[in-house]
């Protein structure tokens, strides 16, 4: 996730889920304005004027910062990353431990009594985790973690260099059972290895890695073999998702153009950092050929995901609100870049969208209805065409 005026975004958007959101929400958002937005959300409920495609919005998590919620293949569960403190919305009492940096959780979408389920932590509580995703078979899941290299939370980036995001080169991709047990490393190559998702037939994984000296998109078989590099352009290529038929990949990219931009990118990359700039949405074939740019708006566009029809893409962008660090909304666009339509109208952060398998539900992360500044929760709505 990243793009457009990165200074307007925040850290976690670009690096996959945790990094983008954490950074984006932490850096310089106007506190007074954000507090007012939270109050406005509470007074207006969960839906805002103009959100004609969203019905029966429900809030699934409460408290802290939760993001990157993705459906299981049967659409019954969501896996996501969270840091901070959950609370019970009925009693406003704390639930579980205060998580210092992102860990992987799962939650049931629907419950017999209709009340929000209690999230269950699946990762081991060590290091920082990101980008979790269920295997379609339901017997395994993917996520990335830094715990093997260091069980402590990674240090924040050096902001004396300006607005930058960290690229932790100790992220490895793991698989585990849906209850978090039987954790196994899937990647062994040094560098940042994260942002992994799997095809709906369970055969192929796409992910982002720095193993060859730049941030690029790779694929591999579900067992970690047969690794192939798909992007080779200088700059950040990442956040990839498969189309439902497994024939195409949508991703976000930022490629430095001028000599000054190239020099800045290489200097920061050598320090394990990136300065987000112009992130655009791209599409390529599963073999890496046929690359074409979808958005051309110069804003920060990230978290793209295919609709089940295989023709449209939902994504987050600050194109209409580039001066607010948290000013992201959801949009839908055709693969050829036409038909752009805004979906959310909350005057704060809406991002990380995913559709259910049948296209009838949309899940995403938002600051709406937050009780404190930067609180980010998971929401789900029925989709209305």
């Amino acid at each position: 996730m990243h793009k457009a005026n990165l200074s307007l975004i925040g850290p976690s958007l670009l690096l996959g889920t945790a990094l983008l959101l954490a950074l984006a929400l932490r850096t310089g958002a106007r506190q007074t304005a954000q507090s007012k937005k939270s109050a406005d959300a509470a007074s207006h409920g969960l839906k805002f004027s103009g959100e004609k495609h969203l019905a029966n919005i429900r809030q699934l998590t409460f408290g802290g910062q939760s993001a990157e919620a993705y459906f299981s293949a049967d659409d019954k569960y969501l896996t996501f990353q969270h840091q901070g403190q959950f609370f019970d919305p009925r009693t406003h009492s704390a639930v579980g431990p205060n998580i210092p940096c992102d860990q992987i959780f799962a939650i049931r979408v629907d419950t017999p009594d209709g009340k929000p389920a209690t999230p269950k932590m699946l990762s081991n509580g060590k290091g920082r985790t990101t980008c979790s995703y269920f295997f379609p078979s339901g017997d395994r899941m993917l996520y990335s973690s830094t715990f093997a290299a260091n069980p402590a939370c990674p240090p924040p980036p050096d902001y004396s260099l300006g607005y930058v995001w960290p690229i932790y080169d100790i992220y490895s991709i793991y698989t585990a059972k849906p209850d978090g047990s039987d954790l196994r490393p899937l990647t062994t190559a040094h560098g940042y290895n994260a942002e992994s998702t799997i095809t709906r037939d369970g055969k192929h994984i796409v992910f982002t890695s720095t193993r060859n000296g730049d941030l690029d998109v790779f694929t591999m078989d579900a067992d970690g073999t047969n690794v192939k590099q798909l992007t080779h352009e200088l700059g950040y290529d990442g956040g990839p998702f498969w189309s439902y038929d497994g024939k195409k990949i949508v991703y976000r990219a930022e490629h430095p153009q001028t000599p000054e931009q190239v020099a800045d990118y290489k200097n920061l990359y050598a320090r394990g950092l990136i300065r987000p700039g112009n992130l655009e949405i791209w599409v390529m074939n599963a073999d890496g050929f046929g690359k074409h740019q979808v958005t051309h708006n110069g804003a920060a566009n990230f978290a793209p995901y295919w609709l089940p029809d295989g023709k449209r893409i939902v994504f987050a962008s600050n194109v209409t609100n580039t001066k607010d660090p948290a000013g992201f909304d959801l949009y839908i666009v055709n693969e050829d870049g036409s038909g752009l339509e805004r979906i959310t109208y909350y005057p704060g952060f809406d991002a990380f969208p995913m559709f259910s398998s049948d296209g009838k539900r949309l899940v995403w992360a938002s600051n709406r209805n937050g009780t404190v500044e930067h609180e980010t929760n998971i929401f789900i709505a029925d989709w209305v065409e």
Side-chain angles (χ1 to χ4, degrees), residues 121-338:
M121 190 164 77
L122 304 182
S123 53
N124 59 16
K126 301 175 183 179
R128 179 183 290 275
T129 65
T130 190
C131 310
S132 56
Y133 209 80
F134 287 109
F135 276 51
S137 60
D139 60 350
R140 304 290 296 179
M141 64 182 300
L142 291 165
Y143 67 86
S144 293
S145 178
T146 63
F147 86 90
N150 192 334
C153 294
D158 182 2
Y159 286 117
S160 69
L161 298 171
Y163 184 75
V164 294
W165 295 346
I167 305 168
Y168 298 121
D169 65 0
I170 55 174
Y171 264 123
S172 294
I173 300 173
Y174 293 84
T175 71
K177 291 183 178 180
D179 63 0
S181 65
D182 192 28
L183 186 64
R184 305 175 189 174
L186 195 61
T187 59
T188 56
H190 176 76
Y192 175 82
N193 295 278
E195 305 172 23
S196 57
T197 60
I198 190 166
T199 49
R200 296 183 73 82
D201 64 7
K203 294 181 179 180
H204 306 290
I205 292 170
V206 64
F207 64 104
T208 304
S209 179
T210 59
R211 64 183 60 200
N212 287 344
D214 196 13
L215 280 158
D216 284 300
V217 175
F218 293 74
T219 57
M220 60 183 169
D221 292 345
D223 62 0
T225 62
N226 196 26
V227 177
K228 297 179 181 179
Q229 184 173 346
L230 302 189
T231 62
H232 300 82
E233 296 78 8
L234 179 69
Y236 172 78
D237 296 285
F241 285 92
W242 298 98
S243 59
Y244 277 58
D245 61 8
K247 294 181 179 180
K248 293 182 179 180
I249 295 168
V250 64
Y251 62 106
R252 61 200 175 215
E254 178 195 3
H255 302 142
Q257 300 297 319
T258 68
E260 293 77 14
Q261 290 173 342
V262 170
D264 184 59
Y265 176 82
K266 289 183 175 181
N267 177 57
L268 289 176
Y269 181 87
R271 303 183 185 203
L273 300 169
I274 186 172
R275 192 189 314 282
N278 181 264
L279 275 178
E280 301 289 354
I281 304 301
W282 287 69
V283 167
M284 62 181 163
N285 296 333
D287 59 5
F289 291 93
K291 294 183 180 73
H292 61 277
Q293 189 173 335
V294 177
T295 60
H296 300 79
N297 57 28
N301 308 283
F302 72 102
Y305 193 85
W306 294 93
L307 272 72
D309 61 18
K311 300 176 181 179
R312 294 175 293 169
I313 297 162
V314 61
F315 65 101
S317 177
N318 66 347
V319 63
T320 59
N321 199 8
T322 57
K323 295 187 178 181
D324 187 340
F328 286 88
D329 281 291
L330 303 184
Y331 293 80
I332 278 186
V333 67
N334 294 324
E335 185 189 335
D336 64 3
S338 65

Side-chain angles (χ1 to χ4, degrees), residues 24-98:
L25 300 179
R26 276 200 302 251
T27 59
R30 296 160 294 191
Q31 296 186 349
T32 301
Q34 281 300 92
S35 297
K36 181 179 183 298
K37 288 170 187 173
S38 293
D40 288 345
S43 64
H44 288 85
L46 301 184
K47 185 173 180 177
F48 288 78
S49 177
E51 296 180 338
K52 63 182 181 181
H53 290 290
L54 306 179
N56 302 319
I57 298 176
R58 287 192 294 132
Q59 185 171 340
L60 299 182
T61 65
F62 299 82
Q65 295 181 358
S66 298
E68 285 199 83
Y70 302 124
F71 284 105
S72 56
D74 61 8
D75 299 322
K76 293 181 179 180
Y77 291 88
L78 293 167
T79 178
F80 63 98
Q81 62 206 34
H82 168 86
Q83 69 178 30
Q85 180 74 67
F86 288 117
F87 69 87
D88 187 323
R90 292 154 290 195
T91 64
H92 294 281
S93 58
V95 176
N98 190 355

